[in-house]
Amino acid sequence: NAVLRKINDLSKRGRFLKVHCFLVHYLRKQMPVLFGKDEKRSELLNNLHREFADCAHRYGLSMGDFPNVDQFRVALAQVKDIRAFPKLDKALVADMDRMFAYDIPHLLDKAALPTRHASSSSSAR
């Protein structure tokens, strides 16, 4: 049970990280390169609910994996230039997707294997 909880927690943290990466990437792309940065930043902060929904729709993310909007707004308000964040590394995202598709299910199977053996040996008696 403890192992399954840890694997599920790992999966939850991974989903949260993926959403966070795409969210920062999405907000970074919304920012102008030269002029109007402060106005656009204020607009993004004021409409963060809508930006979350647009990001989720664009990248196929679950809204349940997004951070709290108000807490994210407070943290984002501390950032002077959103464009200063590094670009999204698509290879790392592909690695993360592979982890969700193959590695996590493999770990779950390995963790459930001792449980299956214990239940089948107790039923054989």
Side-chain angles (χ1 to χ4, degrees):
N1 249 353
V3 172
L4 291 176
R5 256 194 323 272
K6 287 181 181 186
I7 294 170
N8 285 332
D9 187 49
L10 172 69
S11 178
K12 180 180 174 183
R13 287 174 184 232
R15 287 191 321 269
F16 185 76
L17 174 64
K18 181 179 177 180
V19 164
H20 202 89
C21 290
F22 273 109
L23 186 55
V24 169
H25 170 72
Y26 178 80
L27 294 173
R28 185 181 184 280
K29 285 180 64 171
Q30 302 305 309
M31 292 297 292
V33 176
L34 296 176
F35 302 107
K37 289 181 182 181
D38 291 335
E39 294 82 14
K40 185 62 177 181
R41 184 172 166 269
S42 294
E43 180 186 327
L44 289 174
L45 287 171
N46 291 334
N47 299 315
L48 207 52
H49 277 43
R50 182 175 48 85
E51 301 300 332
F52 274 29
D54 290 348
C55 179
H57 178 71
R58 180 179 187 131
Y59 298 110
L61 304 170
S62 170
M63 285 299 293
D65 292 332
F66 276 72
N68 177 284
V69 175
D70 296 324
Q71 290 175 351
F72 195 83
R73 181 179 291 119
V74 169
L76 194 60
Q78 303 297 314
V79 177
K80 184 173 172 104
D81 184 11
I82 296 172
R83 290 204 56 91
F85 285 113
K87 290 184 177 182
L88 182 66
D89 187 339
K90 303 227 174 157
L92 291 177
V93 172
D95 286 345
M96 204 177 314
D97 287 338
R98 182 185 43 74
M99 177 193 73
F100 290 126
Y102 302 106
D103 297 341
I104 297 288
H106 181 71
L107 284 173
L108 288 169
D109 285 344
K110 283 180 106 175
L113 196 60
T115 307
R116 283 189 223 138
H117 284 302
S119 64
S120 64
S121 62
S122 66
S123 63
R125 292 180 191 178

